[in-house]
Amino acid sequence: MTSTYKRGHLTIDQQVALDTAARRLSDEFAGTFGAETIARFLQASYDEFAENGRVTNFLPLLAERFARQRLHALARVEGGSDGRPVVLFLCVRNAGRSQMALGFFRALAGQNALAWSGGSEFADEISPTVVAAMAERGIDISAEFPKPWTDEVFQAADVVVTMGCGDACPVYPGKRYLDWELGDPAGKGLAEVRPIRDEIERRVRDLLAQLNLPSV
């Protein structure tokens, strides 16, 4: 994994925040990953968002959260699975469809499964209209953020659900792939997003049934 991260380009506050994040991750993954691996993933995760060029205010926090997800995925790939199925939801911007699917899946599956999301060309924020539409269902996704997908996340997934990313979505052997043809909520008003949201909820419930997972 190559990192373009350079400490000389960081403000003092960003350096402190990243150092603090590295310590938190080291404590969390003690006995699983060494400090060098954690630093490498944190730096690479920081680069992903810094290179996006649009997200600037919370880069260290986003990098820490993304690195944590990637490290959890890597731990599963290297034999740390607890037996729960993992579902990965993908779309182009990771700002609408995949975030709604992730929100419904987590709310309905509870602790019975894991789920992540990503985008081929991730946006700088989740659509506010999508956040509002999910809030109508009592699901708060306002703390989520668009992110790319990575190899370790793909490898850790049992089921990959694609929504409009087409050939940009890589194919890994041994995965179950589902392609959901859904309208794109980008640029649409709340009234237009609601039917998309409801169809996503229906498909998520069907997926849970296919995985023999109870809905909470």
Side-chain angles (χ1 to χ4, degrees):
M1 183 181 303
T2 301
S3 174
T4 60
Y5 168 89
K6 291 183 172 55
R7 286 194 169 270
H9 295 166
L10 301 179
T11 67
I12 292 176
D13 287 345
Q14 287 174 323
Q15 291 180 25
V16 171
L18 285 168
D19 288 342
T20 302
R23 287 194 293 272
R24 279 196 293 261
L25 291 171
S26 293
D27 290 342
E28 185 174 339
F29 291 94
T32 303
F33 298 117
E36 182 177 340
T37 297
I38 289 170
R40 180 162 51 90
F41 271 76
L42 182 61
Q43 291 171 9
S45 297
Y46 180 93
D47 289 343
E48 289 282 2
F49 295 105
E51 290 172 2
N52 191 28
R54 297 186 298 272
V55 182
T56 58
N57 293 334
F58 305 104
L59 283 176
L61 175 61
L62 295 180
E64 178 182 356
R65 292 177 62 186
F66 190 38
R68 178 175 289 107
Q69 174 182 301
R70 296 176 66 182
L71 289 165
H72 277 300
L74 183 61
R76 294 181 68 88
V77 171
E78 295 185 349
S81 174
D82 56 10
R84 291 181 293 174
V86 178
V87 178
L88 177 60
F89 296 102
L90 303 177
C91 66
V92 177
R93 306 279 284 168
N94 193 216
R97 290 165 290 186
S98 57
Q99 293 287 358
M100 286 192 283
L102 177 67
F104 276 122
F105 190 92
R106 286 179 170 171
L108 294 170
Q111 298 300 310
N112 297 315
L114 297 176
W116 300 311
S117 69
S120 56
E121 301 174 13
F122 69 101
D124 55 333
E125 66 176 0
I126 298 178
S127 163
T129 308
V130 164
V131 173
M134 292 299 288
E136 291 183 341
R137 283 286 189 267
I139 299 174
D140 183 5
I141 63 170
S142 61
E144 293 297 326
F145 58 99
K147 63 190 76 65
W149 59 63
T150 59
D151 285 345
E152 65 280 347
V153 170
F154 248 104
Q155 292 172 20
D158 300 298
V159 180
V160 179
V161 180
T162 61
M163 290 167 270
C165 53
D167 293 340
C169 296
V171 176
Y172 286 79
K175 309 298 177 188
R176 178 184 176 188
Y177 283 85
L178 300 173
D179 183 44
W180 290 358
E181 294 186 9
L182 297 160
D184 188 349
K188 290 183 170 62
L190 188 56
E192 296 174 288
V193 170
R194 286 175 181 136
I196 301 172
R197 174 203 63 195
D198 294 346
E199 177 62 15
I200 289 174
E201 179 181 7
R202 185 189 69 78
R203 294 187 185 218
V204 167
R205 289 184 180 276
D206 285 347
L207 177 58
L208 288 170
Q210 293 169 23
L211 295 174
N212 295 316
L213 293 174
S215 296
V216 297

